[in-house]
Amino acid sequence: MDLCTAGSLDKNFILDLYMRAFPEAERKPFSEIERKAAMGEMEILLIREEGRRAGMAITALQEDLVLLDYFAISDLFRGRGIGSDALQLLMALYSDSQFFLEIEKPDEMAENQQERLRRKAFYLRNGMLETGILIELFGIEMELLATKPGLTYERCEKMYRSLMGPMYQKKVRRIG
């Protein structure tokens, strides 16, 4: 398995997986992701298994903080441990940084409660740590997980402001 910067020939695969894997409410305009990647504020990464496109990761970068903004494995490759292997590669790639991500907060009332619990268990099993930070992001309650202790909301807030610009005030709020 390897992880590399996605090239122009990978765009259709990445865009298709992005559109299928993430609900509309959680997706940023892909053109904005591409613009920020061109500016060095984000990275669009391709996950390959035996030379085949298997998944994607989109990260946001600010100083020594890295947000795993989007992470998805193609249906054709699920259930083979590729997600765990890819996450380990990402954590190694950004080992000098505070690497963090957002997951939907487990909620007994949520229709996808079991999926939320499985997702959280996946990340914890693969070395992510609970931070105790809860936010509302685009109207969805999210929990932040990180690779190292010490992540603060204030550091995340600075990144969110940079990522979202003036829309930040309407899209992100701390709830816990």
Side-chain angles (χ1 to χ4, degrees):
M1 165 177 293
D2 69 320
L3 189 63
C4 62
T5 301
S8 58
L9 296 177
D10 303 312
K11 182 178 178 177
N12 287 341
F13 171 81
I14 298 280
L15 187 55
D16 180 60
L17 184 54
Y18 178 73
M19 299 301 280
R20 283 186 295 112
F22 302 99
E24 184 177 354
E26 293 179 23
R27 292 191 307 249
K28 294 176 183 68
F30 200 76
S31 59
E32 182 67 9
I33 292 170
E34 290 177 305
R35 187 180 73 76
K36 289 197 176 280
M39 294 170 46
E41 296 175 19
M42 297 186 89
E43 290 185 318
I44 304 170
L45 302 168
L46 178 68
I47 300 162
R48 291 188 299 213
E49 176 67 14
E50 297 177 0
R52 296 175 55 208
R53 295 178 183 107
M56 52 80 89
I58 298 173
T59 57
L61 315 166
Q62 186 177 68
E63 298 167 4
D64 68 337
L65 201 59
V66 176
L67 167 65
L68 179 56
D69 209 10
Y70 298 97
F71 178 57
I73 302 299
S74 169
D75 292 340
L76 299 173
F77 289 88
R78 288 204 182 131
R80 300 185 198 176
I82 290 172
S84 292
D85 292 345
L87 184 59
Q88 294 304 313
L89 286 176
L90 287 162
M91 291 166 58
L93 177 64
Y94 299 113
S95 63
D96 291 338
S97 301
Q98 175 59 282
F99 182 76
F100 77 104
L101 55 88
E102 307 136 344
I103 58 169
E104 289 176 303
K105 179 180 170 245
D107 178 355
E108 292 176 6
M109 303 306 288
E111 289 180 20
N112 67 340
Q113 169 68 348
Q114 291 306 310
E115 180 182 323
R116 291 177 183 204
L117 290 171
R118 278 194 307 274
R119 187 174 295 125
K120 183 174 182 176
F122 165 80
Y123 286 115
L124 294 177
R125 185 174 60 249
N126 281 287
M128 301 297 293
L129 307 170
E130 294 179 293
T131 65
I133 302 170
L134 300 174
I135 63 171
E136 185 178 288
L137 184 62
F138 296 96
I140 301 164
E141 289 188 5
M142 307 291 265
E143 178 179 353
L144 303 186
L145 304 178
T147 53
K148 300 174 186 174
L151 182 68
T152 65
Y153 176 73
E154 291 72 27
R155 291 192 66 214
C156 298
E157 182 179 39
K158 185 177 175 184
M159 175 173 273
Y160 291 133
R161 280 184 192 279
S162 174
L163 275 174
M164 297 176 204
M167 294 301 295
Y168 160 78
Q169 295 284 340
K170 297 177 182 176
K171 302 295 181 186
V172 182
R173 101 182 150 86
R174 186 174 186 173
I175 56 175

